[in-house]
Amino acid sequence: MAITVFLTCFISFFISLLILSGREEKLSLVFVKTVILFSVILVGATEFLSAFHALTYQYILIFWSALMLLNVLFLYREKEKLADCISGIRNSVFNNVSKLSRTEKYLLYAVAILLVLAFVQGIVYPPNNWDSMTYHMARIPNWISHQSVEHYPTHIYRQLFQPPFSEYIIMHCNILSRNDYFSNAVQFFYLVFSLFAISLIIDHFGLHQRLTLIAIVLTVTVPEVILQASSTQNDIVVAFFILCTLYFALKTLKDSNPYNHIYLGLSAGLAALSKGTAYIYVLPILLYYAIIVLTNLIKRKNFALLKYPVIACVLYLSINAGHYYRNYTLSGHVLGIDHMQTPA
């Protein structure tokens, strides 16, 4: 199945990024960065192919195959580092698990069982809730039939103006697999990604590893999380990017290197492209980020520091540019809502 190309591309991209980062960064941080960059690439590919009405099986398969081939060629060139990298991943996982007590291991096994059950449920049962049928999944056949994500005639207005990132991924999976079996799996995988982001935030504050496991258990056992992990809604997807926005905003406080600002801009941009509620949750984080920037600016009196926040803003706007433009041409507003749709 062509969907394996998509999955192989992600795995090879992660290993390539891990090799490039060396041993300077934690495995979980490299993984989170991989998800962010891979998501950006997916958005770029979707918008580019859409501009030429080329969202077809052939072109999407060619794109992901080419990206996978580039990663495989890089890994082949770095085959000595590849062996060390795989060994490092295995040792890191083994060491972390071996440090857990028996009770903690049981909790970890319970989490794993819950995740497996959620994944299986999402594969066995097709998307069938009201929100999916009228909005999330309904817009995808239109995109596929038009071979573009341009707005189309519909009486369900939210199919047009609502942020589309989650559906972009579902569309790629559906086109490559030629069915909707993996539609529910998108939220499931972003739940797994979110657990890595949560662990990074806890580690950032220097808290004990046991608290990381407790946070993971509390996250996975939230009833709404279990339900959404096997659905095509987008709350878990946007939650991941909000967590990443928070983490990289915190990182800029300790280390104001350009990469933290870049990943902050990418995370915030992807959050906004995932769900409208991101504007509410990301706003206090970005205000906190602005305070950090202004404080550093006042202390150092170096206006050159502003270039990094500007880059973050440009990345944010670039990710959402296509969606904002389509909404503006539709209603004259980048969010796609005019006075006719706004509640009185």
Side-chain angles (χ1 to χ4, degrees), residues 150-171:
E150 292 293 329
H151 291 333
Y152 51 87
T154 177
H155 68 287
I156 303 178
Y157 195 64
R158 60 181 179 155
Q159 290 183 16
L160 305 180
F161 74 86
Q162 290 283 17
F165 173 71
S166 182
E167 290 80 17
Y168 280 1
I169 308 177
I170 297 173
M171 178 181 63

Side-chain angles (χ1 to χ4, degrees), residues 32-33 35-36 193-194 197 200-201 238-250 263-264 267-268 285:
V32 166
K33 287 182 176 181
V35 177
I36 295 172
F193 302 157
S194 297
L200 286 173
I201 294 172
V238 71
F240 168 75
F241 291 118
I242 292 172
L243 289 169
C244 291
T245 303
L246 173 61
Y247 174 72
F248 286 107
L250 291 171
Y263 282 106
L264 174 62
S267 300
I285 300 174

Side-chain angles (χ1 to χ4, degrees), residues 107-314:
L107 287 174
L108 189 62
Y109 296 151
V111 168
I113 292 172
L114 280 174
L115 290 175
V116 170
L117 291 175
F119 177 75
V120 171
Q121 180 181 350
I123 297 296
V124 172
Y125 297 100
N128 55 16
N129 63 69
W130 173 262
D131 211 28
S132 295
M133 295 294 94
T134 60
Y135 157 39
H136 297 290
M137 293 297 293
R139 66 203 314 197
I140 295 173
N142 284 284
W143 291 343
I144 295 175
S145 63
H146 294 107
Q147 300 176 6
S148 169
V149 293
E150 292 293 329
H151 291 333
Y152 51 87
T154 177
H155 68 287
I156 303 178
Y157 195 64
R158 60 181 179 155
Q159 290 183 16
L160 305 180
F161 74 86
Q162 290 283 17
F165 173 71
S166 182
E167 290 80 17
Y168 280 1
I169 308 177
I170 297 173
M171 178 181 63
H172 279 254
C173 293
N174 288 1
I175 290 176
L176 291 175
S177 63
R178 295 183 180 274
N179 54 56
D180 63 355
Y181 286 137
F182 298 100
S183 298
N184 291 328
V186 171
Q187 282 247 109
F188 168 80
F189 282 112
Y190 272 87
L191 170 58
V192 176
F193 302 157
S194 297
L195 300 182
F196 284 91
I198 290 170
S199 70
L200 286 173
I201 294 172
I202 292 176
D203 182 70
H204 177 83
F205 289 106
L207 301 177
H208 195 275
Q209 185 181 12
R210 182 175 298 172
L211 294 177
T212 301
L213 182 59
I214 293 173
I216 290 174
V217 172
L218 292 176
T219 300
V220 173
T221 53
V222 173
E224 184 66 17
V225 170
I226 297 175
L227 288 173
Q228 290 225 14
S230 58
S231 77
T232 58
Q233 292 172 270
N234 51 19
D235 296 272
I236 295 178
V237 176
V238 71
F240 168 75
F241 291 118
I242 292 172
L243 289 169
C244 291
T245 303
L246 173 61
Y247 174 72
F248 286 107
L250 291 171
K251 282 209 74 175
T252 57
L253 180 61
K254 285 188 175 181
D255 185 8
S256 185
N257 71 59
Y259 294 107
N260 290 333
H261 294 271
I262 289 173
Y263 282 106
L264 174 62
L266 294 177
S267 300
L270 289 167
L273 193 63
S274 298
K275 191 175 179 69
T277 51
Y279 294 104
I280 298 173
Y281 293 105
V282 168
L283 179 61
I285 300 174
L286 294 183
L287 287 176
Y288 166 77
Y289 170 69
I291 293 172
I292 295 173
V293 172
L294 291 174
T295 302
N296 290 334
L297 189 64
I298 293 172
K299 285 182 178 179
R300 302 181 186 181
K301 297 181 180 179
N302 183 7
F303 287 93
L305 294 173
L306 283 175
K307 65 182 179 181
Y308 298 141
V310 170
I311 291 173
C313 291
V314 170

